[in-house]
Amino acid sequence: MEFEQSELLKSLPRQFFASLVQKVGTYTEKGADVINLGQGNPDQPTPEHIVDTLKTAAENPLNHKYSPFRGFRYLKEAAAEFYKREYGVDLDPEEEIAILFGGKAGLVEIPQCLLNPGDSILVPDPGYPDYWSGVELARAEMIKMPLREENGFLPDYTELGSEELAQAKLMFLNYPNNPTGAIADQAFFDQTIDLAQKHNICVVHDFAYGAVGFDGKRPYSFLQSKGSKDIGIEIYTLSKTYNMAGWRVGFAAGNKSVIAAINLLQDHMYVSLFGAIQEAAAEALLGSQECVAELNDLYESRRNILIDGLTGIGWKVTAPKGSFFAWLKIPEGFTSSVDFADFLLEKAHIAVAPGIGFGDYGEGYVRVGLLTSEKRLKEAVSRIESLGIFKKDIDNDL
């Protein structure tokens, strides 16, 4: 007997990147040496001191029991201390921090916590596709905010009509940005807070790449701006900062009423995280941060090799300012981002993510991950050069 799925499941957005994985799989199954630059999965191991903490904590019988529903206080205190040390932000561990099962869980939960069917949410385009999932699960409506290169991939709030601002109850932002690699400064967040206060909009800042900034520029936390906790929260994940993507641990910080809503929803869904993971997460936040600086340097070195290499073969590209992604305009002669991505996969066995997968305004770009070795990045540049689709500028040959 086969049971029909609910209308809710049928309405969920199509997982665009599942088709990318499938395409790559058809080549690797045939023995092709695919350089996969389309993924967003960190390639480095979790630092040893964090793993060692997990090993020890896993042997403690106290961690074999159910953890407190809302997480151990020591982890929330660690998150608060982390924000005080890194950003100078004061947080109440119990009322202004909620433990999450990874950043994605929090991002998908938030619309269900604050919106009713038919309510509107402001979403960046291009943006992280799982924002759409949360919107659909809440039966809400999306108002897209275009991110254009000429505006530094920041939304232009003057493009939003008075009716759209009146309808919106929630706004997603994400800097350093996935997929564009753009960063935001204090002036932008101050402007955002002013807008949110005037129109009673809750701001959710996805700070997944908060530790990854280049050229000596440290990413700015939304919570550093005055009034931020009055109108929103920031979601922080340990996945990128500490290479803990598979551990599924993060936290939300900020507005007390939003934190209370997240905790209430999660009370009905989970019984918190495995205690050993919570101990390891606290060690990550409070222990040596040398690994974070080393990882940032690694991504910056990879970025420079990729961007310099592509520029050298004649591809006019812009270097990302943060995150571990590069956002590259497709060359002339290709009809779409999918067309170009398929061409690279077929002709050079290089996988990239088509920009259309991140929204309508992602068309014309591809996202490239800095999540493989420098040697493989150089090999990717060499393969692309061999395709003969770029012509070097005369200056490059001198």
Side-chain angles (χ1 to χ4, degrees), residues 129-191:
D130 281 317
Y131 299 149
W132 313 338
S133 302
V135 174
E136 189 58 47
L137 286 169
R139 295 301 203 201
E141 303 292 336
M142 274 197 294
I143 299 172
K144 294 184 178 181
M145 300 186 295
L147 306 185
R148 298 186 177 89
E149 188 168 2
E150 59 267 27
N151 198 39
F153 295 111
L154 299 172
D156 181 354
Y157 295 138
T158 64
E159 293 184 348
L160 296 172
S162 57
E163 186 175 337
E164 290 177 319
L165 288 170
Q167 292 173 343
K169 290 188 176 181
L170 195 61
M171 175 194 294
F172 277 132
L173 293 173
N174 166 221
Y175 295 97
N177 184 258
N178 174 17
T180 70
I183 60 174
D185 59 12
Q186 180 179 348
F188 170 74
F189 284 123
D190 289 347
Q191 178 191 18

Side-chain angles (χ1 to χ4, degrees), residues 42-106:
D43 65 309
Q44 296 297 296
T46 305
E48 187 175 355
H49 67 286
I50 301 173
V51 176
D52 287 343
T53 299
L54 174 73
K55 290 177 181 177
T56 301
E59 295 177 347
N60 184 349
L62 292 177
N63 285 325
H64 302 169
K65 302 176 182 295
Y66 290 124
S67 300
F69 269 75
R70 300 183 177 186
F72 284 109
R73 182 177 175 85
Y74 65 75
L75 179 53
K76 289 179 277 190
E77 290 176 341
E81 186 173 334
F82 171 84
Y83 258 79
K84 181 64 175 178
R85 183 190 72 224
E86 297 293 327
Y87 306 110
V89 174
D90 291 309
L91 292 165
D92 182 316
E94 287 300 328
E95 293 193 310
E96 295 181 330
I97 292 175
I99 305 303
L100 301 173
F101 289 70
K104 172 181 175 177

Side-chain angles (χ1 to χ4, degrees), residues 33-297:
D33 177 24
V34 177
I35 301 177
N36 192 346
L37 305 179
Q39 62 183 3
N41 198 0
D43 65 309
Q44 296 297 296
T46 305
E48 187 175 355
H49 67 286
I50 301 173
V51 176
D52 287 343
T53 299
L54 174 73
K55 290 177 181 177
T56 301
E59 295 177 347
N60 184 349
L62 292 177
N63 285 325
H64 302 169
K65 302 176 182 295
Y66 290 124
S67 300
F69 269 75
R70 300 183 177 186
F72 284 109
R73 182 177 175 85
Y74 65 75
L75 179 53
K76 289 179 277 190
E77 290 176 341
E81 186 173 334
F82 171 84
Y83 258 79
K84 181 64 175 178
R85 183 190 72 224
E86 297 293 327
Y87 306 110
V89 174
D90 291 309
L91 292 165
D92 182 316
E94 287 300 328
E95 293 193 310
E96 295 181 330
I97 292 175
I99 305 303
L100 301 173
F101 289 70
K104 172 181 175 177
L107 293 165
V108 173
E109 289 169 357
I110 285 291
Q112 299 172 75
C113 292
L114 301 181
L115 302 182
N116 295 312
D119 286 344
S120 296
I121 174 171
L122 295 162
V123 179
D125 182 357
Y128 180 47
D130 281 317
Y131 299 149
W132 313 338
S133 302
V135 174
E136 189 58 47
L137 286 169
R139 295 301 203 201
E141 303 292 336
M142 274 197 294
I143 299 172
K144 294 184 178 181
M145 300 186 295
L147 306 185
R148 298 186 177 89
E149 188 168 2
E150 59 267 27
N151 198 39
F153 295 111
L154 299 172
D156 181 354
Y157 295 138
T158 64
E159 293 184 348
L160 296 172
S162 57
E163 186 175 337
E164 290 177 319
L165 288 170
Q167 292 173 343
K169 290 188 176 181
L170 195 61
M171 175 194 294
F172 277 132
L173 293 173
N174 166 221
Y175 295 97
N177 184 258
N178 174 17
T180 70
I183 60 174
D185 59 12
Q186 180 179 348
F188 170 74
F189 284 123
D190 289 347
Q191 178 191 18
T192 300
I193 291 167
D194 182 60
L195 180 83
Q197 288 174 333
K198 288 179 180 177
H199 298 281
N200 197 29
I201 298 170
C202 176
V203 176
V204 178
H205 183 231
D206 176 4
F207 205 31
Y209 305 92
V212 188
F214 304 134
D215 305 315
K217 294 183 179 179
R218 177 181 174 83
Y220 186 83
S221 165
F222 164 70
L223 293 182
Q224 288 177 278
S225 283
K226 183 179 180 181
S228 56
K229 288 197 293 184
D230 292 334
I231 54 86
I233 64 168
E234 190 158 76
I235 290 185
Y236 199 95
T237 173
L238 279 66
S239 295
K240 283 75 177 180
T241 307
Y242 303 103
N243 291 317
M244 296 173 67
W247 298 54
R248 309 315 306 144
V249 55
F251 57 92
N255 184 274
K256 292 181 180 180
S257 65
V258 181
I259 296 301
I262 294 172
N263 279 327
L264 178 59
L265 177 65
Q266 292 192 153
D267 282 349
H268 292 273
M269 298 180 69
Y270 315 114
V271 187
S272 196
L273 289 162
F274 179 36
I277 288 181
Q278 294 191 56
E279 286 194 38
E283 171 62 24
L285 295 168
L286 300 180
S288 171
Q289 302 298 298
E290 184 178 352
C291 59
V292 180
E294 291 174 349
L295 185 62
N296 192 83
D297 289 344

